[in-house]
Amino acid sequence: MAENKRENFGGRFAIIMAMAGSAIGLGNIWRFPYLAGEHGGAAFILVYILSSVFLSLPIFLSESIIGRRSKSNTYGAMKKLAPGTRWKWLSIITILAPLIIVSYYSVVGGWSIEYLVKSLTFGFNSVPKEEITSLFSEFISRPYAPILFHTIFLGTTAIILTAGVKSGIEKFSNWSVPVLFLLILAILLYSLTLPGAMGGVIYMAKPDFSKITSKVILAAMGQSFYSLSLGVGTILVYSSYVSKKENLLVSGLGTAAFDLMFALMAGFAVMTAVFSAGVTPGAGPGLIFESLPYVFATMGESAPVLSGIIATVFFVTILISALTSAVSLMEVGVAYLIEEMKMKRKWATFTTFIGTWTLGCFCSLSFGPLGGIQFFGKTIFGFCDWISSNFLMALGALLFSLFVGWKMKKSDVYDEFTNGGTLKVNVRCFKPVYFLIRYIAPIVILIIFLSGILL
Ligand code: PHE
């Protein structure tokens, strides 16, 4: 596709909303609260912020620089910026990884639709509290219903994408990200009023530096990585829709700030509610789909209508945040098909949908009939999650930082980062940023990468 036909985001607000939409997702709502609580509360949060600034931000900027410089999808970008080399083949990783992630992410998105329906019909009030956990495992192991909801979730993602960058992605994130903040604020304010909420606040906020071990530091780095959607080309592709006038440093900082703010708000909201109901804070999707429904059922004993409303608001929040992330993941594949295979956006989206939907069905069925199929001791769902977030993501991030730090000409990187030397603050930041991209990021990623495989 000719370069002048590519769409651009409408401005700074749209760019930050789209990128924040990608960043804010399930990672903020279930992974962050659990990790923070388990790993020393405020001490973990401090490590998390430090790794966001010194590791994630440089990688974010690497992706932004490649994306905007090339105005291309991940494969096309390498083809343009390093013509005649093998770099473009390496970029295949960054097309596969987001598609694998979106396949299983959509299954979880589908669960949130099912739970939204349950909340709307005050379904948690009619289930005895003790049966809430088994309700979840019973639901996800069913063959048809979860696939139906996965289809609705992924189908909605695809519909947004067929509308294009401006009328689809931009329009959707421009309203949904502000709404997400309002929703999480409402939940946070409400959960702080619950009896026993202080327990959750202390769990999250009390700094316990004795819990900071090398494993915890790795967990904080990995989390800041995952949360900012790095290493899989989503930020690269979104940046390719950023106009040459915009400031890449500002969009990076803005996105990271919104993502952190949301994680903190979600963390406090979730943990205060969990503590108030006396539930042990569990890990993974279990926290959202088992512990919290238990909280809602507890609330429902005294205030059934209110509990139904809060549960609804909560699952709407999860659903929208997952959708904005899924849109960014799927766009990586769509952009590739449009630009490299010369497909129309509609067909590119449909093709990506079919592929990811199929893999998603296998992921969904791996909680039931296909549970026996295992790779390296993991179910299909577990394997897709593991290979993408522990392996491909780190590999992709390594690729991007090496590309900007060692393959691209330094003068080109400078030109892109500073808009031709016109942005004074960026000019001043260039040296340390370049150092982080060239030396620190690859070394640290390598450590995360090896520990992800070996631990
Ligand atoms: N950042 C998203 C979250 O926190 C997950 C994601 C990873 C989205 C990679 C896009 C790319 O849930």
Side-chain angles (χ1 to χ4, degrees), residues 22-28 101 105 226-227 229 232 234 325 328-329 393:
S22 169
I24 295 168
L26 298 169
N28 303 57
I101 298 179
Y105 209 83
Y226 184 86
S227 194
S229 307
V232 292
T234 50
S325 298
S328 73
L329 286 160
M393 260 186 152

Side-chain angles (χ1 to χ4, degrees), residues 29 35 121 154 168 181 220 239 241 278 280 286 289 313 336 338 345 369 399 417 451 455:
I29 302 176
L35 286 172
T121 52
L154 204 63
F181 271 94
S239 300
Y241 304 134
T280 32
F289 297 104
V313 173
Y336 169 78
I338 294 177
R345 178 166 274 274
L399 182 81
F417 181 67
S451 66
L455 293 184

Side-chain angles (χ1 to χ4, degrees), residues 410-427:
K410 188 175 177 182
S411 55
D412 287 349
V413 178
Y414 176 83
D415 184 56
E416 201 57 46
F417 181 67
T418 62
N419 291 7
T422 58
L423 302 168
K424 295 286 161 273
V425 177
N426 299 35
V427 168

Side-chain angles (χ1 to χ4, degrees), residues 13-34:
F13 177 78
I15 296 162
I16 297 182
M17 288 305 105
M19 290 184 174
S22 169
I24 295 168
L26 298 169
N28 303 57
I29 302 176
W30 62 257
R31 218 157 167 242
F32 180 77
Y34 158 74

